[in-house]
Amino acid sequence: MRNLWGWFTRLWVVGVLWLAASPLWAAHAYGQFGDVKYPTGFTHFGYVNPQAPKGGEIVLVPPTRQSNFDKYNPFTLKGSAPPGLTGLLFDTLLTGTMDEPTTAYGLLARDVAVAPDKKSVTFELHPLARFHTGDPVLAADVKFSFERLTSKEAAPQYRTYFSEVKAVVVEGERRIRFDFVRPSSELPLIVGSLPVFSRAWGQTATGHKPLDQLVTDIPIGSGPYTIGPVQFGKDITYVRDPNYWARDLNVRRGLYNFDRITYKIYKDSTAQLEAFKAGEFDYIQAFIAREWARAYTGRQFERGEIVKAELQHRNAGDFQGFLFNTRRTKFQDVRVRQAIALAMDYEWMNRQLFYNAYTRVRGFFVGSDFEAKGRPGSDELALLEPLRAQLSAAVFDEDVPLPPTTSLDPASGHTLRDHLRQARDLLQAAGWTIQDGQLRNARGEVFRIEFLDNSGSMGRVVTPYAKNLEKLGFEVQYKVIDFALLQKRMDVFDFDIISNRTVGSEAPGTELLERFGSKAADTEGSGNVIGIKSPVVDALLDKAVSAQTRPQLVAALRALDRVLRHGHYVVPHWYGAVHRVAWRAGKFGKPEVMPLYYQPEAWVTSVWWSTQVDKKN
């Protein structure tokens, strides 16, 4: 959901080649766990068409809830940058692939070398690498980018993301080394994902403008596109750079084929869908099952003018849920959070609202190897036992909590009425009882809950949920506000409950510090919107970040998932097993081979091509 961070959390990582006779790991790629699919000298990635024609255009809408943009700088906290800007304008040291979740190949860096003790990584920059100004990309630019992104001028997520980097050393004009706080198999990927911009961006006669004062200054990157025509705040077109320095590299062959990529922004989803049907843009991703079933219909679909497809993938399941702001006293008792979750009748929603199209989110790493199940195994216990004194006995003695499941069978003990009765008992134990028809504490304060939304799409979910909560005595409000205002209120943690979605990852790591770490809980603009401040969670995050093997990572994340789920910090939502997308027929080509791990927007804008090149050029 979060516009700034959506691109940043692992779409750019990983790869490795072991040279036993060398004092370093040195290669064209790096893999977190040693697996590299494409050898030195490979010609192109397997899911692209290396002969794809260049030209034409595609017009699309962002998959986020963005309703405007007010700056060109994607790295600062205040405001909203245009969709697509980061990935299209800025190259990184390494680039990820869509068929290897934990491997990355050299882009700005033609060589990556990891020290045997895994406490540093050195990058040799490609001699051809150029910014859009024609200036070479040098080690000094890389260091400059890192220092700006980890300063207080940038959004706080970057400081957390790169917090395990101890020092950055320029060893030569095109050689740079990153030293780590401790050995890490993941950090070479983290620093490899660094977006690099020119030292000339924001340069004045007297020095550099602070990063947070670069608002409408056009960024100077080295990516495949530059900014073209703009209706500021509404539409933006990116124009392919014909002199793009990496156009002939194997990691870019067959990619970024459109001459123009235009994003259009609409204020609400209804207007957006009608505009799509009217031909105002070419591609859209659907997230609401009811709309997919009932609104993506009509003559254009029947005649094949619009293609409607459900695309398979192997991505880990996305996390989505209602998140409690535990900074607020009323949500600090786990029994209260558990009671509120019991009032959601997901099974009714799935039948009546979702056309049985979804699966319930169970935990924070749903549908992956990292999802906790049953009781902790020996690998988890090895991590949890030293923390036993700080954990409830249930973590060790009971199965990991699953979301409540409602039944229509009165004898099941799991009807909605049964759940509401359990919720009432939990609330009473936490000091909240019905007084004068409302849920109040000992001081007589009414328990009010405000759900925030920016599009109104959650209204059909919140309305029946609110009715159940009102049966327990809660006073419930559902408020729809503009996305920019919602983002601002999230940044300063001014909310009760919000709906949030986090894209699943095949190898979560350092970004979890930003999402669950105690330091991030008090940092405005951080991803720890829940406000979790737990020494146990911090200890398990430390184990995850320092994992040297995949089994170690699996054990740490399962233990983390288990502890978080016993904390009942969220009301889990649902996730889909496919990408639902639609596009205008006859305009685009795509390879026969589908990638395995991908988000549709990135796949469409980077891999597809126009079939109307000759007509337009």
Side-chain angles (χ1 to χ4, degrees):
M1 165 188 171
R2 298 178 69 81
N3 178 48
L4 174 67
W5 201 240
W7 68 276
F8 196 63
T9 57
R10 309 201 52 96
L11 295 179
W12 301 94
V13 255
V14 258
V16 75
L17 183 66
W18 173 258
L19 299 181
S22 170
L24 293 173
W25 295 15
H28 66 296
Y30 177 79
Q32 182 173 358
F33 304 113
D35 47 337
V36 176
K37 177 178 179 178
Y38 298 100
T40 302
F42 74 96
T43 58
H44 58 85
F45 294 135
Y47 53 86
V48 307
N49 173 11
Q51 304 302 321
K54 306 291 185 184
E57 65 179 336
I58 187 169
V59 183
L60 67 161
V61 290
T64 62
R65 299 186 288 187
Q66 188 168 354
S67 58
N68 70 347
F69 62 89
D70 54 12
K71 63 176 183 177
Y72 292 129
N73 184 349
F75 306 121
T76 52
L77 180 60
K78 294 182 179 179
S80 299
L85 185 144
T86 306
L88 297 176
L89 261 66
F90 297 97
D91 275 342
T92 49
L93 295 169
L94 304 177
T95 181
T97 79
M98 295 182 184
D99 53 4
E100 294 172 282
T102 57
T103 301
Y105 295 78
L107 180 55
L108 286 174
R110 67 174 179 179
D111 180 87
V112 52
V114 178
D117 62 4
K118 299 183 182 180
K119 294 187 68 174
S120 69
V121 61
T122 302
F123 297 98
E124 188 76 33
L125 299 182
H126 203 292
L128 296 179
R130 294 290 185 276
F131 290 111
H132 297 139
T133 56
D135 296 327
V137 179
L138 302 176
D141 296 296
V142 178
K143 184 174 183 179
F144 176 83
S145 300
F146 180 87
E147 291 175 343
R148 283 292 185 272
L149 289 176
T150 54
S151 74
K152 292 185 177 181
E153 300 168 6
Q157 292 94 328
Y158 296 101
R159 292 195 294 280
T160 303
Y161 200 61
F162 295 115
S163 62
E164 293 287 302
V165 177
K166 180 171 62 176
V168 181
V169 181
V170 173
E171 295 186 338
E173 189 176 52
R174 289 186 170 85
R175 187 177 177 85
I176 188 165
R177 188 184 79 242
F178 292 82
D179 295 334
F180 307 148
V181 173
R182 55 184 167 179
S184 174
S185 296
E186 184 195 24
L187 279 172
L189 312 177
I190 297 297
V191 296
S193 71
L194 176 74
V196 177
F197 43 84
S198 171
R199 287 166 290 167
W201 185 27
Q203 190 169 31
T204 67
T206 58
H208 280 94
K209 293 171 65 175
L211 186 65
D212 54 7
Q213 292 183 22
L214 297 177
V215 180
T216 56
D217 305 67
I218 300 299
I220 303 176
S222 60
Y225 288 84
T226 59
I227 294 176
V230 175
Q231 280 189 288
F232 197 75
K234 296 181 179 180
D235 307 334
I236 184 167
T237 296
Y238 301 100
V239 178
R240 186 169 61 85
D241 181 1
N243 298 314
Y244 176 44
W245 74 273
R247 62 187 179 276
D248 296 322
L249 294 188
N250 49 11
V251 294
R252 284 293 186 252
R253 191 167 292 125
L255 293 170
Y256 300 109
N257 304 307
F258 295 109
D259 275 353
R260 296 170 300 281
I261 297 174
T262 297
Y263 283 89
K264 288 182 172 290
I265 295 177
Y266 295 85
K267 291 293 184 182
D268 63 79
S269 58
T270 301
Q272 179 178 270
L273 181 56
E274 291 308 311
F276 175 61
K277 292 181 178 180
E280 292 185 17
F281 60 92
D282 303 312
Y283 164 87
I284 188 171
Q285 182 175 1
F287 293 95
I288 300 174
R290 183 173 183 271
E291 284 187 357
W292 183 250
R294 300 182 61 177
Y296 284 75
T297 58
R299 292 184 178 179
Q300 291 171 299
F301 294 89
E302 295 167 359
R303 293 195 297 253
E305 297 170 4
I306 295 178
V307 179
K308 177 180 176 181
E310 295 186 350
L311 304 177
Q312 301 294 323
H313 60 80
R314 292 190 189 176
N315 298 352
D318 296 345
F319 168 82
Q320 182 174 304
F322 286 128
L323 277 57
F324 295 104
N325 183 0
T326 62
R327 299 169 187 82
R328 301 200 162 171
T329 305
K330 60 189 175 184
F331 295 124
Q332 288 177 356
D333 193 312
V334 66
R335 294 168 295 187
V336 169
R337 302 194 296 268
Q338 190 176 0
I340 293 172
L342 280 163
M344 175 179 278
D345 188 348
Y346 166 76
E347 282 66 36
W348 179 88
M349 291 181 182
N350 203 26
R351 290 193 307 269
Q352 301 297 325
L353 303 179
F354 305 151
Y355 295 80
N356 291 312
Y358 292 121
T359 301
R360 188 80 189 265
V361 168
R362 298 175 294 275
F364 292 86
F365 307 110
V366 64
S368 75
D369 293 341
F370 314 117
E371 180 181 353
K373 297 178 181 178
R375 299 190 183 188
S378 58
D379 55 348
E380 288 184 65
L381 288 172
L383 302 177
L384 293 171
E385 282 292 353
L387 306 169
R388 182 182 279 271
Q390 303 173 70
L391 291 166
S392 70
V395 173
F396 298 90
D397 302 335
E398 299 177 10
D399 287 350
V400 66
L402 293 172
T405 301
T406 54
S407 171
L408 298 177
D409 180 5
S412 67
H414 294 288
T415 65
L416 177 61
R417 179 176 296 181
D418 294 322
H419 288 170
L420 294 180
R421 188 180 300 113
Q422 295 172 38
R424 188 172 292 111
D425 292 342
L426 287 166
L427 291 168
Q428 185 172 353
W432 294 90
T433 58
I434 300 291
Q435 304 172 40
D436 301 323
Q438 292 182 300
L439 191 64
R440 299 175 183 267
N441 60 16
R443 293 185 295 275
E445 297 168 332
V446 176
F447 203 130
R448 295 182 174 90
I449 298 176
E450 181 184 68
F451 289 84
L452 285 184
D453 189 14
N454 81 293
S455 67
S457 61
M458 273 292 164
R460 64 199 182 98
V461 171
V462 174
T463 298
Y465 188 21
K467 289 181 179 179
N468 294 338
L469 290 169
E470 288 165 354
K471 292 176 183 177
L472 294 171
F474 289 99
E475 183 178 306
V476 182
Q477 291 183 326
Y478 172 61
K479 191 171 184 179
V480 179
I481 58 178
D482 181 75
F483 175 81
L485 180 57
L486 175 64
Q487 188 70 64
K488 184 176 181 180
R489 288 188 61 174
M490 288 179 63
D491 287 340
V492 298
F493 312 124
D494 179 20
F495 67 92
D496 279 349
I497 296 177
I498 52 98
S499 171
N500 202 4
R501 170 176 171 257
T502 302
V503 175
S505 172
E506 283 66 46
T510 301
E511 77 275 11
L512 298 177
L513 298 172
E514 162 72 14
R515 190 174 165 196
F516 301 121
S518 293
K519 289 183 180 179
D522 295 325
T523 304
E524 289 189 2
S526 82
N528 190 351
V529 295
I530 298 172
I532 297 172
K533 297 179 73 174
S534 165
V536 170
V537 170
D538 290 340
L540 294 174
L541 287 171
D542 186 74
K543 293 294 184 182
V545 171
S546 61
Q548 299 299 312
T549 66
R550 187 168 180 84
Q552 290 176 350
L553 181 63
V554 168
L557 293 181
R558 285 180 180 174
L560 175 65
D561 187 41
R562 184 177 303 278
V563 169
L564 291 173
R565 287 161 69 176
H566 275 281
H568 298 279
Y569 293 108
V570 303
V571 181
H573 280 189
W574 41 86
Y575 70 100
V578 295
H579 296 310
R580 300 186 185 96
V581 298
W583 65 87
R584 210 151 298 283
K587 295 186 67 174
F588 308 111
K590 53 184 176 27
E592 293 183 5
V593 177
M594 288 286 294
L596 302 177
Y597 309 97
Y598 67 100
Q599 293 300 317
E601 177 195 11
W603 176 58
V604 168
T605 55
S606 65
V607 176
W608 287 19
W609 63 88
S610 172
T611 58
Q612 301 180 330
V613 172
D614 293 337
K615 299 177 184 178
K616 293 194 173 217
N617 295 298

